[in-house]
Amino acid sequence: MKFMKLGSRPDTFYTTEAVRSVSSEVSSDLMVQVKGSRYLLHKFPMLSKSLKLQRLCAEIHESSNLQIVQLPDFPGGIEAFELCAKFCYGITITLSAYNIVAVRCAAEYLQMTEDVEKGNLIYKIEVFFTSCILQGWRDSIITLMSTKALPLWSEDLQITGRCIDSIASKVLAHPSKVSLSHSYSRRGRDDISCNGSENRRNGMPNTAKGWWAEDIADLGIELYWRTMIAIKSGGKVPSNLIGDALRIFASKWLPNISKFRGKIDDESYANHGSDSTEITSKHRLLLESIISLLPSEKGSVSCGFLSKLLKAANILKASSSSKMELARRIGIQLEEATVGDLLIPSVSSSNDTLYDVDIVIVILEQFMAQGQSPPTTPPRMKRDFERRRSRSAENVDFEFQERRRSSSASHSSKLKVAKLVDCYLKEIANDDNLQLSKFLNIAEAIPEFARLDHDDIYKAIDIYLKAHPNLNKGERKRLCRILDCKKLSMEACMHAAQNELLPLRILVQVLFFEHAKASVAGNQVSDLPNHIKALLGSQGDLSKQTPLFIKTMKTPADDQWSVSGLKSPKSKVPTLKMKLAEDDDLDGRCPCPNAVEKSSKMKAFCMIPNRPKRIFSKLWSKNGVVEKN
């Protein structure tokens, strides 16, 4: 750290009865009062360097030899005034990045300019500030931080702006040209370019590309915001380094954003009074400032960091525009998210759910709205160009191949998001306040092709049915309509076949496909009707399929999805009979003219439990086509 010494005389200031005086043979003739403190000084050394004191003493007409001057609005306090007074007496003082702002503002207040005396204090401070302070990295940061105590004075004297420009220029320049403090910065980083480029000749690691992020994180949010704007406007720092710097700053000033998991209601804020409200307002301002600084490029910040900001925005009740911006950014890179990232606590007084489901719906809509699939075939070329390939035709083919690559990437992302959404539904299904419409909105936001298996969505449905026992038959049918029994594993089918909460139609489909898969696995495909073989053939070689259901949530011992713990397939018929009895009324109300016929067929099906193959043949092969319920 740089420092400058001015003056050569020893310190002769002393305190007597709460009055600071100077040891001298000449009696004092000037009393200066600064914010409750009194200084007994001499006119000659003080007035010879301060135009302000000259004018004040000229305006005071007193008969006594001791003139009293009051400086109630003195910037920098008594420490800065005493340094200025010692400079007037020629006593040695030391200036550094910690006190230069206060002394500079005090000298400006006292008007210690060159017009009063050559080589006055303002001139000497400016030389030191320009040639030393602004040339050093750490000195510039400390000086900028000290301007917070005197913001208006620092702005008028352009101290703040010059420090910000100095810091930004060093971030944009190569560290070899920056004066870094050995005690603060890691010397192994000096040969790494601040803008992210690496000095490969020296073989320096990539971990030091954002060396400046931790240093400027010490700034307050207002100064940090202005500094980051200056850095971004330079256009040389990659967006991922900007995002990493924002993450470091957020973790320092919002240390609890990763712990926002529970629901916080309005009463928790009211019980803490105005102090809590003020703290919350400061954190809200800080959070919204960070959001405004986020780079626009996709992937510049991680999806996890965006999720933490969104959780903090809910807790701190940030503006709706800030939350929508975060939701939009998360939706763009949703394939990187985890289930925990989507578990955003709800604090709205109008929403009784544990987690904010509405914002997740917005995120899914944003994800599905992007990346429309390109055409599957390139545009047809004219015959004249088919004979002779031109450069433009090659460019068209190249662009087409690039679109195909982006399309496949989008398809892969949807597969990941489908798995993510199903696991998310399992987490929120236990909430008894979760409306069926919102559950379905989330489940149906995923296209059908993206779910390669339906084990997770079935588990979510099962959890939701258990948590909402008051659902009527129509609501249960609406809920299970999103389930495709053909995509259930054998383990999931065996569980679903004994699930009394499922509607009758789902149980019939589960029994059918479970029996069909068992026949295929036992090499008994020849025993199945031709139309069933064709249906199974559309699902691939089932004999090579393995159970895909992976249990991710803890369940009671009696609800484990183990094949050995389930009953034999023969015991599924009583459950089916009970479901038929329950659905008699609903089927009777069905406007379909074949409702009675279907009901009698299903009852006949349940009365012959020991001949499943023949039953399926009679049930499904009457018209040779599988009926769709």
Side-chain angles (χ1 to χ4, degrees), residues 415-433:
L415 296 180
K416 294 179 181 178
V417 171
K419 191 72 173 177
L420 171 68
V421 168
D422 291 347
C423 294
Y424 170 75
L425 288 173
K426 290 192 295 184
E427 291 290 335
I428 66 172
N430 268 322
D431 190 350
D432 53 1
N433 291 322

Side-chain angles (χ1 to χ4, degrees), residues 327-328 330-335 360-373 410-411 413-415 417-418 421 441-450:
R328 184 188 68 83
I330 294 174
I332 293 176
Q333 53 193 86
L334 185 58
E335 67 274 9
V360 175
I361 294 176
V362 174
I363 292 173
L364 287 173
E365 291 175 350
Q366 179 61 42
F367 172 76
M368 298 306 301
Q370 65 169 347
Q372 298 296 330
S373 299
S410 176
H411 180 79
S413 299
K414 289 179 180 177
L415 296 180
V417 171
V421 168
N441 285 341
I442 296 177
E444 294 173 350
I446 302 301
E448 184 178 354
F449 73 86

Side-chain angles (χ1 to χ4, degrees), residues 138-155:
R138 184 58 180 166
D139 290 334
S140 299
I141 294 178
I142 295 175
T143 303
L144 181 59
M145 293 173 60
S146 63
T147 60
K148 187 176 180 179
L150 298 166
L152 298 180
W153 281 91
S154 299
E155 290 290 346

Side-chain angles (χ1 to χ4, degrees), residues 584 587-604:
D584 276 343
D587 291 337
R589 293 191 300 268
C590 179
C592 178
N594 298 325
V596 178
E597 181 183 356
K598 290 182 180 179
S599 177
S600 61
K601 284 184 179 181
M602 299 308 294
K603 291 180 180 179

Side-chain angles (χ1 to χ4, degrees), residues 217-238:
D218 294 334
L219 298 173
I221 183 58
E222 296 180 0
L223 297 176
Y224 182 86
W225 189 87
R226 293 175 60 181
T227 303
M228 288 299 295
I229 290 296
I231 293 173
K232 292 177 65 177
S233 62
K236 295 182 179 180
V237 180

